[in-house]
């Protein structure tokens, strides 16, 4: 072997690893694909010529070897345990775990709270990675906990998994963690797979588990797999740190990805807060987690607690309520919204899902209902994630009610026909129309349609619009049915005696309602604009319009060009606004509202500082954000009316945490302050949540 070849191979390896980091971790490739390929091929050629130079940690090994006939068995020196799951998905789950730990440790009442480390329960596949003298030697699945499968070839293709450890690596270190897929990576992968005519992956969890268990490493390599470390197995020649938190920090220092959403807290209340806080952010975090995991932070206490059968006493999984459940569609109704949109809604046999009992689920629109082919009598999978409206995900076709076909006694046909939207509005009988290129079918009845009138009134009186307390669904229904109210302006003519004469309405409530209606006359311009219910004008657009035009009259006179000069207002929104004000009927209602005394403080206009989506909110920034510099983040927050403070306290509304966030993040967890990552901050800035 030539010494020059050995040196060249070593240089190439270092160079290729650096380019891999730039590409996969920093998302900032430093050279072209062709130049990278040239380096890679040169290294492959040297290793082919001098096989003794081929190291287990060489980046060429990420390409994977030949397909296997079957996986070899791997005996785990330290068993891979499972975790007990708390049955209660509420705060009680955290309380029960804490109580068990205190009892097992024989802590007297009044002893200080136990310190816990809390992290996410990733929804992927558990794997164990074995490093000898800092080099990745073998990767295995959990199997039955004692014996797993050797999936080294596949794990080598996962770029998150270091082939070489950074720093001073011990003779033996087994790292345990989760192989998983991000939802956005999966969506991108599936798009390409479909374009190639391949079957898409069902979900991130199956995607991860299925990819790791492929005999052909080329398949695993084509899948966007990632890894988070959360513990260790066998070790030799390494003084493990004293706490779980420091253990994870040490793994991060060796080069393993460790999830940033983790805190160290004392006592069960803070655990329950972390559970809630992360639960609220689930949709914003780019990968799935089905709960959180609590671990006693001190490794000495973990040893004292020990195990019961295959589960440690020092850890527990505290899950979120299942988000999907099976039930039966008893009917399909068509609802008419305030803009006249017809929405098919499945009436369900009541089912407990996502923490509540669900009896209705949206089918979105006619196309979606047809695509999923949801019919009356079908058994369906219903999903309720977070506060999102429950929806029907799919039909369990095997359980569709069937009847014998009239022509052929052996054939069976579905008992119910495919769903079709009616040709007329179920509320007012007007014709329904579907504009070209639109998926939404609308009632053409306008304010003849009681559903649209009721919807418009409910929107006008809502908490985020004119905020008329006590004017709810049922009362509006009565007022519209009785003919007292046809437009929002009619609300201001209601009197206490007239209201008191209505069913289920006492004198006191009638007076309160009149007072609430009176109070609503002093609105803000943004609320008033939003309250009008202009199509395509949501709360944040209404705020932009108020801020930009300052006066209602100026907005009313604005043409499409003036409207489109506002960021985020495009031709569609501008046209909706122009159409709205061009309608004589709308101008009349506005005139009557103003005549009734509705007014607004013009101070929300340009003259005064913009209140912004973050008005009154206090933020703390910690750690390094993936793309924003700290100054940029501060400018964005302040631009939206928020304040950036240096330390976390009970007054903090949000902690924005990046890589290597430290004690501020822990403090946020302790105080139950909402924690955001950069993506969460940007989403919040757009007014998407809260
Ligand atoms: S610790 C001794 N931490 O949950 C405790 N497990 O039953 C060993 N899991 O499928 C596991 N996220 O892959 C631990 N942050 C986390 C986890 C986690 C997900 C999975 C694990 C296994 C199951 C354990």
């Amino acid at each position: 072997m030539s010494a020059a070849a050995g040196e060249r191979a070593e240089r190439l390896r270092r160079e290729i690893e650096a380019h891999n980091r730039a590409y996969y971790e920093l998302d900032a490739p430093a050279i072209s694909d062709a130049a990278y390929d040239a380096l890679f091929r040169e290294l492959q050629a040297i290793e082919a010529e001098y096989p003794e130079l081929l190291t287990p940690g060489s980046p060429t090994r990420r390409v994977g070897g030949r397909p296997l006939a079957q996986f070899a068995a791997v005996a785990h020196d330290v068993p891979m345990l499972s975790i007990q799951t708390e049955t209660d998905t509420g705060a009680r789950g955290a309380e029960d775990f804490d109580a068990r730990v205190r009892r097992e440790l024989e802590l007297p009442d009044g002893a200080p709270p136990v310190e816990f480390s809390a992290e996410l329960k990733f929804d992927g596949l558990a794997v164990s990675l074995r490093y000898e003298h800092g080099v990745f030697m073998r990767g295995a699945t959990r199997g039955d906990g004692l014996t797993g499968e050797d999936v080294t070839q596949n794990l080598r293709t996962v770029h998150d998994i270091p082939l070489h450890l950074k720093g001073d690596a011990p003779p033996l270190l087994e790292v345990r963690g989760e192989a998983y897929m991000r939802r956005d990576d999966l969506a991108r992968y599936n798009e390409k797979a479909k374009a190639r005519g391949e079957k898409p992956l069902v979900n991130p969890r199956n995607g991860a588990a299925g990819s790791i268990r492929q005999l052909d490493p080329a398949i695993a390599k084509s899948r966007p797999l990632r890894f988070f470390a959360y513990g260790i197995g066998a070790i030799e020649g390494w003084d493990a740190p004293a706490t779980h938190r420091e253990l994870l920090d040490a793994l991060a220092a060796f080069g393993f990805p460790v999830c940033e959403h983790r805190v160290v807290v004392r006592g069960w209340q803070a655990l329950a807060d972390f559970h809630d806080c992360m639960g609220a952010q689930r949709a914003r975090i780019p990968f799935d987690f089905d709960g959180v995991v609590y671990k006693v932070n001190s490794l000495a206490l973990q040893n004292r607690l020990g195990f019961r059968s295959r589960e440690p006493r020092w850890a527990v999984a505290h899950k979120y309520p299942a988000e999907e459940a099976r039930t039966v569609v008893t009917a399909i109704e068509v609802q008419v919204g305030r803009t006249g949109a017809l929405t098919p809604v499945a009436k369900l046999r009541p089912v407990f899902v996502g923490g509540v009992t669900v009896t209705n689920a949206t089918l979105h629109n006619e196309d979606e209902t047809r695509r999923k082919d949801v019919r009356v009598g079908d058994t369906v999978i219903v999903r309720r994630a977070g506060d999102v409206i429950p929806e029907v995900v799919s039909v369990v076709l095997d359980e569709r009610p069937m009847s014998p076909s009239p022509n052929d006694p052996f054939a069976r046909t579905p008992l119910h026909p495919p769903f079709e939207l009616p040709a007329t509005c179920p509320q007012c009988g007007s014709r329904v129309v579907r504009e070209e290129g639109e998926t939404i079918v609308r009632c053409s009845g306008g304010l003849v349609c009681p559903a649209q009138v009721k919807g418009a009134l409910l929107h006008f009186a809502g908490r985020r619009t004119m905020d008329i307390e006590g004017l709810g669904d049922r009362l509006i229904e009565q007022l519209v049915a009785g003919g007292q109210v046809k437009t929002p302006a009619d609300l201001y003519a209601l009197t206490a005696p007239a209201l008191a004469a209505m069913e289920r309405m006492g004198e006191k409530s009638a007076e309160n309602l009149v007072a609430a209606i009176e109070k609503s006359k002093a609105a803000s311009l943004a609320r008033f604009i939003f309250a009008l219910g202009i199509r395509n004008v949501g709360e944040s657009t209404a705020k932009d319009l108020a801020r930009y035009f300052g006066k209602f009259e100026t907005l009313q006179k604005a043409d499409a060009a003036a409207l489109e000069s506002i960021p985020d207002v495009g031709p569609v929104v501008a046209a909706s606004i122009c159409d709205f004000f061009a309608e004589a009927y709308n101008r009349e209602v506005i005139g009557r509202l103003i005549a009734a005394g509705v007014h607004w403080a013009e101070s929300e206009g340009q003259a005064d500082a913009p209140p912004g989506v973050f008005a009154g909110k206090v933020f703390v920034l910690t750690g390094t954000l993936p793309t924003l510099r700290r100054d940029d983040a501060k400018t964005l927050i302040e631009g939206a009316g928020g304040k950036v403070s240096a330390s976390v306290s009970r007054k903090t509304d949000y902690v924005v945490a990046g890589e290597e966030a430290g004690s501020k993040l822990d403090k946020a967890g302790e105080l139950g302050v909402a924690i955001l990552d950069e993506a969460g901050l940007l989403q919040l800035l757009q007014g998407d949540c809260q």
Side-chain angles (χ1 to χ4, degrees), residues 80-84 119-127 142 177-178 229-231 244 290 293 295 307 311-312 314-315 317:
M80 287 182 80
L81 301 162
S82 59
I83 320 184
Q84 187 184 340
E119 59 201 51
L120 304 184
K121 184 168 192 311
F122 312 109
D123 211 0
L125 183 76
V127 292
R142 176 163 170 258
E178 197 88 348
Y230 55 61
H244 183 70
D290 56 349
V293 176
K295 297 173 183 172
F307 306 92
E311 292 161 353
W314 46 263

mmCIF file of all heavy atoms in Angstrom, residues 80-84 119-127 142 177-178 229-231 244 290 293 295 307 311-312 314-315 317, ligand 1:
data_model
loop_
_atom_site.group_PDB
_atom_site.id
_atom_site.type_symbol
_atom_site.label_atom_id
_atom_site.label_comp_id
_atom_site.label_asym_id
_atom_site.label_seq_id
_atom_site.Cartn_x
_atom_site.Cartn_y
_atom_site.Cartn_z
ATOM 1 N N MET A 80 -32.793 -3.447 25.855
ATOM 2 C CA MET A 80 -33.487 -2.210 25.464
ATOM 3 C C MET A 80 -34.879 -2.279 26.073
ATOM 4 O O MET A 80 -35.712 -3.070 25.641
ATOM 5 C CB MET A 80 -33.582 -2.099 23.938
ATOM 6 C CG MET A 80 -32.260 -1.761 23.305
ATOM 7 S SD MET A 80 -32.408 -1.566 21.518
ATOM 8 C CE MET A 80 -33.076 0.091 21.378
ATOM 9 N N LEU A 81 -35.098 -1.421 27.064
ATOM 10 C CA LEU A 81 -36.338 -1.513 27.833
ATOM 11 C C LEU A 81 -37.473 -0.766 27.166
ATOM 12 O O LEU A 81 -37.249 0.059 26.291
ATOM 13 C CB LEU A 81 -36.096 -0.910 29.214
ATOM 14 C CG LEU A 81 -34.986 -1.598 29.989
ATOM 15 C CD1 LEU A 81 -34.512 -0.709 31.114
ATOM 16 C CD2 LEU A 81 -35.480 -2.926 30.521
ATOM 17 N N SER A 82 -38.664 -1.083 27.619
ATOM 18 C CA SER A 82 -39.790 -0.247 27.177
ATOM 19 C C SER A 82 -40.167 0.661 28.337
ATOM 20 O O SER A 82 -39.577 0.566 29.411
ATOM 21 C CB SER A 82 -40.957 -1.117 26.745
ATOM 22 O OG SER A 82 -41.338 -1.919 27.812
ATOM 23 N N ILE A 83 -41.110 1.531 28.125
ATOM 24 C CA ILE A 83 -41.501 2.453 29.192
ATOM 25 C C ILE A 83 -42.957 2.227 29.526
ATOM 26 O O ILE A 83 -43.783 2.000 28.636
ATOM 27 C CB ILE A 83 -41.387 3.939 28.777
ATOM 28 C CG1 ILE A 83 -40.151 4.205 27.944
ATOM 29 C CG2 ILE A 83 -41.385 4.834 29.991
ATOM 30 C CD1 ILE A 83 -39.988 5.681 27.628
ATOM 31 N N GLN A 84 -43.249 2.351 30.790
ATOM 32 C CA GLN A 84 -44.640 2.275 31.216
ATOM 33 C C GLN A 84 -45.371 3.528 30.710
ATOM 34 O O GLN A 84 -44.789 4.611 30.668
ATOM 35 C CB GLN A 84 -44.671 2.239 32.741
ATOM 36 C CG GLN A 84 -46.052 1.981 33.280
ATOM 37 C CD GLN A 84 -46.070 2.052 34.796
ATOM 38 O OE1 GLN A 84 -45.042 1.921 35.458
ATOM 39 N NE2 GLN A 84 -47.258 2.266 35.342
ATOM 40 N N GLU A 119 -38.818 15.196 28.150
ATOM 41 C CA GLU A 119 -38.513 15.312 26.711
ATOM 42 C C GLU A 119 -39.679 14.766 25.903
ATOM 43 O O GLU A 119 -40.696 14.379 26.477
ATOM 44 C CB GLU A 119 -37.204 14.561 26.413
ATOM 45 C CG GLU A 119 -37.255 13.096 26.782
ATOM 46 C CD GLU A 119 -35.859 12.480 26.983
ATOM 47 O OE1 GLU A 119 -35.051 13.052 27.741
ATOM 48 O OE2 GLU A 119 -35.603 11.428 26.393
ATOM 49 N N LEU A 120 -39.526 14.726 24.591
ATOM 50 C CA LEU A 120 -40.633 14.274 23.753
ATOM 51 C C LEU A 120 -40.598 12.756 23.583
ATOM 52 O O LEU A 120 -39.526 12.147 23.663
ATOM 53 C CB LEU A 120 -40.556 14.938 22.377
ATOM 54 C CG LEU A 120 -40.525 16.458 22.390
ATOM 55 C CD1 LEU A 120 -40.558 17.001 20.966
ATOM 56 C CD2 LEU A 120 -41.696 17.015 23.196
ATOM 57 N N LYS A 121 -41.757 12.192 23.349
ATOM 58 C CA LYS A 121 -41.803 10.770 23.014
ATOM 59 C C LYS A 121 -41.941 10.673 21.500
ATOM 60 O O LYS A 121 -43.021 10.862 20.946
ATOM 61 C CB LYS A 121 -42.976 10.073 23.706
ATOM 62 C CG LYS A 121 -42.965 8.587 23.428
ATOM 63 C CD LYS A 121 -43.917 7.839 24.311
ATOM 64 C CE LYS A 121 -43.694 6.337 24.234
ATOM 65 N NZ LYS A 121 -43.622 5.782 22.908
ATOM 66 N N PHE A 122 -40.802 10.437 20.868
ATOM 67 C CA PHE A 122 -40.755 10.450 19.404
ATOM 68 C C PHE A 122 -41.496 9.252 18.844
ATOM 69 O O PHE A 122 -41.467 8.169 19.418
ATOM 70 C CB PHE A 122 -39.295 10.421 18.932
ATOM 71 C CG PHE A 122 -38.438 11.425 19.644
ATOM 72 C CD1 PHE A 122 -37.479 11.022 20.563
ATOM 73 C CD2 PHE A 122 -38.623 12.777 19.434
ATOM 74 C CE1 PHE A 122 -36.715 11.942 21.249
ATOM 75 C CE2 PHE A 122 -37.862 13.711 20.112
ATOM 76 C CZ PHE A 122 -36.910 13.289 21.026
ATOM 77 N N ASP A 123 -42.106 9.474 17.684
ATOM 78 C CA ASP A 123 -42.927 8.423 17.095
ATOM 79 C C ASP A 123 -42.200 7.826 15.899
ATOM 80 O O ASP A 123 -42.474 8.178 14.758
ATOM 81 C CB ASP A 123 -44.260 9.056 16.663
ATOM 82 C CG ASP A 123 -45.386 8.065 16.760
ATOM 83 O OD1 ASP A 123 -45.128 6.920 17.153
ATOM 84 O OD2 ASP A 123 -46.518 8.444 16.445
ATOM 85 N N GLY A 124 -41.236 6.962 16.173
ATOM 86 C CA GLY A 124 -40.476 6.336 15.085
ATOM 87 C C GLY A 124 -40.116 4.926 15.477
ATOM 88 O O GLY A 124 -40.980 4.170 15.917
ATOM 89 N N LEU A 125 -38.833 4.593 15.345
ATOM 90 C CA LEU A 125 -38.382 3.241 15.676
ATOM 91 C C LEU A 125 -37.144 3.340 16.564
ATOM 92 O O LEU A 125 -36.197 4.067 16.233
ATOM 93 C CB LEU A 125 -38.025 2.505 14.375
ATOM 94 C CG LEU A 125 -37.594 1.051 14.554
ATOM 95 C CD1 LEU A 125 -38.809 0.165 14.829
ATOM 96 C CD2 LEU A 125 -36.846 0.547 13.330
ATOM 97 N N ALA A 126 -37.167 2.596 17.689
ATOM 98 C CA ALA A 126 -36.026 2.633 18.613
ATOM 99 C C ALA A 126 -34.854 1.855 18.022
ATOM 100 O O ALA A 126 -35.041 0.755 17.500
ATOM 101 C CB ALA A 126 -36.428 2.017 19.943
ATOM 102 N N VAL A 127 -33.658 2.450 18.079
ATOM 103 C CA VAL A 127 -32.463 1.737 17.616
ATOM 104 C C VAL A 127 -31.319 1.936 18.609
ATOM 105 O O VAL A 127 -31.329 2.874 19.400
ATOM 106 C CB VAL A 127 -31.994 2.193 16.203
ATOM 107 C CG1 VAL A 127 -32.994 1.792 15.141
ATOM 108 C CG2 VAL A 127 -31.724 3.691 16.157
ATOM 109 N N ARG A 142 -34.694 -2.786 18.297
ATOM 110 C CA ARG A 142 -34.931 -3.225 19.661
ATOM 111 C C ARG A 142 -35.318 -4.709 19.718
ATOM 112 O O ARG A 142 -34.934 -5.411 20.640
ATOM 113 C CB ARG A 142 -36.052 -2.355 20.235
ATOM 114 C CG ARG A 142 -36.489 -2.730 21.577
ATOM 115 C CD ARG A 142 -37.271 -1.596 22.211
ATOM 116 N NE ARG A 142 -37.869 -2.070 23.415
ATOM 117 C CZ ARG A 142 -39.141 -2.403 23.544
ATOM 118 N NH1 ARG A 142 -39.957 -2.256 22.522
ATOM 119 N NH2 ARG A 142 -39.598 -2.851 24.668
ATOM 120 N N GLY A 177 -31.695 5.605 20.753
ATOM 121 C CA GLY A 177 -32.502 6.739 20.300
ATOM 122 C C GLY A 177 -33.528 6.297 19.286
ATOM 123 O O GLY A 177 -33.788 5.100 19.112
ATOM 124 N N GLU A 178 -34.101 7.274 18.622
ATOM 125 C CA GLU A 178 -35.234 7.007 17.737
ATOM 126 C C GLU A 178 -34.890 7.412 16.303
ATOM 127 O O GLU A 178 -34.441 8.539 16.070
ATOM 128 C CB GLU A 178 -36.419 7.844 18.237
ATOM 129 C CG GLU A 178 -37.743 7.407 17.711
ATOM 130 C CD GLU A 178 -38.403 6.328 18.589
ATOM 131 O OE1 GLU A 178 -37.727 5.757 19.477
ATOM 132 O OE2 GLU A 178 -39.582 6.063 18.364
ATOM 133 N N ALA A 229 -31.014 11.138 19.685
ATOM 134 C CA ALA A 229 -30.500 10.300 20.778
ATOM 135 C C ALA A 229 -31.270 10.633 22.046
ATOM 136 O O ALA A 229 -31.591 11.793 22.296
ATOM 137 C CB ALA A 229 -29.011 10.584 20.968
ATOM 138 N N TYR A 230 -31.588 9.592 22.875
ATOM 139 C CA TYR A 230 -32.237 9.878 24.155
ATOM 140 C C TYR A 230 -31.709 9.043 25.321
ATOM 141 O O TYR A 230 -32.243 9.112 26.413
ATOM 142 C CB TYR A 230 -33.756 9.761 24.053
ATOM 143 C CG TYR A 230 -34.294 8.444 23.533
ATOM 144 C CD1 TYR A 230 -34.056 7.245 24.193
ATOM 145 C CD2 TYR A 230 -35.080 8.414 22.378
ATOM 146 C CE1 TYR A 230 -34.553 6.044 23.727
ATOM 147 C CE2 TYR A 230 -35.591 7.222 21.896
ATOM 148 C CZ TYR A 230 -35.316 6.029 22.574
ATOM 149 O OH TYR A 230 -35.809 4.848 22.105
ATOM 150 N N GLY A 231 -30.669 8.253 25.088
ATOM 151 C CA GLY A 231 -30.152 7.463 26.213
ATOM 152 C C GLY A 231 -28.941 6.652 25.798
ATOM 153 O O GLY A 231 -28.446 6.779 24.674
ATOM 154 N N HIS A 244 -29.377 12.905 33.782
ATOM 155 C CA HIS A 244 -29.831 12.611 32.425
ATOM 156 C C HIS A 244 -29.611 13.817 31.511
ATOM 157 O O HIS A 244 -29.223 13.670 30.361
ATOM 158 C CB HIS A 244 -31.315 12.226 32.451
ATOM 159 C CG HIS A 244 -31.843 11.849 31.106
ATOM 160 N ND1 HIS A 244 -31.476 10.695 30.467
ATOM 161 C CD2 HIS A 244 -32.685 12.490 30.259
ATOM 162 C CE1 HIS A 244 -32.072 10.630 29.292
ATOM 163 N NE2 HIS A 244 -32.812 11.716 29.147
ATOM 164 N N ASP A 290 -46.024 11.398 20.160
ATOM 165 C CA ASP A 290 -47.351 11.036 20.650
ATOM 166 C C ASP A 290 -47.500 11.265 22.143
ATOM 167 O O ASP A 290 -48.496 10.884 22.744
ATOM 168 C CB ASP A 290 -47.708 9.594 20.272
ATOM 169 C CG ASP A 290 -46.679 8.596 20.757
ATOM 170 O OD1 ASP A 290 -45.597 9.022 21.194
ATOM 171 O OD2 ASP A 290 -46.948 7.383 20.698
ATOM 172 N N VAL A 293 -41.944 12.167 27.633
ATOM 173 C CA VAL A 293 -41.348 11.157 28.515
ATOM 174 C C VAL A 293 -40.752 11.886 29.711
ATOM 175 O O VAL A 293 -40.072 12.903 29.529
ATOM 176 C CB VAL A 293 -40.244 10.363 27.778
ATOM 177 C CG1 VAL A 293 -39.551 9.390 28.732
ATOM 178 C CG2 VAL A 293 -40.822 9.599 26.600
ATOM 179 N N LYS A 295 -38.228 11.502 32.997
ATOM 180 C CA LYS A 295 -37.194 10.633 33.561
ATOM 181 C C LYS A 295 -36.652 11.288 34.817
ATOM 182 O O LYS A 295 -36.435 12.516 34.826
ATOM 183 C CB LYS A 295 -36.050 10.445 32.553
ATOM 184 C CG LYS A 295 -36.493 9.755 31.275
ATOM 185 C CD LYS A 295 -35.421 9.714 30.202
ATOM 186 C CE LYS A 295 -35.989 9.062 28.947
ATOM 187 N NZ LYS A 295 -35.084 9.143 27.786
ATOM 188 N N PHE A 307 -35.727 -1.413 38.165
ATOM 189 C CA PHE A 307 -36.696 -1.846 37.168
ATOM 190 C C PHE A 307 -37.777 -2.716 37.753
ATOM 191 O O PHE A 307 -37.590 -3.325 38.791
ATOM 192 C CB PHE A 307 -35.980 -2.688 36.095
ATOM 193 C CG PHE A 307 -34.827 -1.955 35.520
ATOM 194 C CD1 PHE A 307 -33.557 -2.105 36.062
ATOM 195 C CD2 PHE A 307 -35.011 -1.088 34.475
ATOM 196 C CE1 PHE A 307 -32.489 -1.401 35.544
ATOM 197 C CE2 PHE A 307 -33.949 -0.377 33.948
ATOM 198 C CZ PHE A 307 -32.682 -0.535 34.487
ATOM 199 N N GLU A 311 -39.587 -2.717 32.534
ATOM 200 C CA GLU A 311 -39.760 -1.259 32.526
ATOM 201 C C GLU A 311 -39.036 -0.611 33.694
ATOM 202 O O GLU A 311 -39.108 -1.105 34.813
ATOM 203 C CB GLU A 311 -41.255 -0.921 32.623
ATOM 204 C CG GLU A 311 -42.022 -1.321 31.393
ATOM 205 C CD GLU A 311 -43.512 -1.414 31.645
ATOM 206 O OE1 GLU A 311 -43.937 -1.297 32.809
ATOM 207 O OE2 GLU A 311 -44.243 -1.620 30.667
ATOM 208 N N PRO A 312 -38.341 0.507 33.423
ATOM 209 C CA PRO A 312 -37.690 1.182 34.544
ATOM 210 C C PRO A 312 -38.731 1.891 35.414
ATOM 211 O O PRO A 312 -39.755 2.340 34.897
ATOM 212 C CB PRO A 312 -36.788 2.207 33.860
ATOM 213 C CG PRO A 312 -37.399 2.449 32.531
ATOM 214 C CD PRO A 312 -38.145 1.212 32.151
ATOM 215 N N TRP A 314 -37.994 4.590 36.872
ATOM 216 C CA TRP A 314 -37.618 6.007 36.876
ATOM 217 C C TRP A 314 -38.076 6.768 35.627
ATOM 218 O O TRP A 314 -37.746 7.939 35.468
ATOM 219 C CB TRP A 314 -36.097 6.155 37.045
ATOM 220 C CG TRP A 314 -35.291 5.225 36.165
ATOM 221 C CD1 TRP A 314 -34.769 4.018 36.535
ATOM 222 C CD2 TRP A 314 -34.922 5.416 34.794
ATOM 223 N NE1 TRP A 314 -34.102 3.443 35.484
ATOM 224 C CE2 TRP A 314 -34.179 4.281 34.400
ATOM 225 C CE3 TRP A 314 -35.147 6.423 33.860
ATOM 226 C CZ2 TRP A 314 -33.653 4.139 33.123
ATOM 227 C CZ3 TRP A 314 -34.622 6.274 32.584
ATOM 228 C CH2 TRP A 314 -33.895 5.140 32.226
ATOM 229 N N ALA A 315 -38.802 6.096 34.759
ATOM 230 C CA ALA A 315 -39.260 6.789 33.540
ATOM 231 C C ALA A 315 -40.712 6.433 33.264
ATOM 232 O O ALA A 315 -41.183 5.357 33.641
ATOM 233 C CB ALA A 315 -38.400 6.397 32.348
ATOM 234 N N ALA A 317 -44.009 7.258 30.144
ATOM 235 C CA ALA A 317 -44.503 7.983 28.967
ATOM 236 C C ALA A 317 -45.854 8.577 29.330
ATOM 237 O O ALA A 317 -46.708 7.887 29.887
ATOM 238 C CB ALA A 317 -44.659 7.022 27.792
HETATM 239 S S1 LIG B 1 -36.335 6.137 26.876
HETATM 240 C C1 LIG B 1 -35.477 2.997 29.738
HETATM 241 N N1 LIG B 1 -37.012 8.319 25.640
HETATM 242 O O1 LIG B 1 -40.617 4.696 23.507
HETATM 243 C C2 LIG B 1 -36.243 3.868 28.863
HETATM 244 N N2 LIG B 1 -37.916 6.275 24.826
HETATM 245 O O2 LIG B 1 -40.959 2.004 25.365
HETATM 246 C C3 LIG B 1 -35.966 3.582 27.477
HETATM 247 N N3 LIG B 1 -39.339 6.543 22.834
HETATM 248 O O3 LIG B 1 -40.110 2.460 21.382
HETATM 249 C C4 LIG B 1 -36.609 4.464 26.504
HETATM 250 N N4 LIG B 1 -39.136 8.717 22.671
HETATM 251 O O4 LIG B 1 -38.178 4.234 21.118
HETATM 252 C C5 LIG B 1 -37.160 6.985 25.683
HETATM 253 N N5 LIG B 1 -37.505 10.345 24.630
HETATM 254 C C6 LIG B 1 -37.636 9.025 24.671
HETATM 255 C C7 LIG B 1 -38.419 8.329 23.741
HETATM 256 C C8 LIG B 1 -38.543 6.944 23.861
HETATM 257 C C9 LIG B 1 -39.672 7.626 22.142
HETATM 258 C C10 LIG B 1 -39.823 5.191 22.505
HETATM 259 C C11 LIG B 1 -38.754 4.159 22.360
HETATM 260 C C12 LIG B 1 -39.492 2.871 22.551
HETATM 261 C C13 LIG B 1 -40.512 3.279 23.533
HETATM 262 C C14 LIG B 1 -40.067 2.852 24.877
#
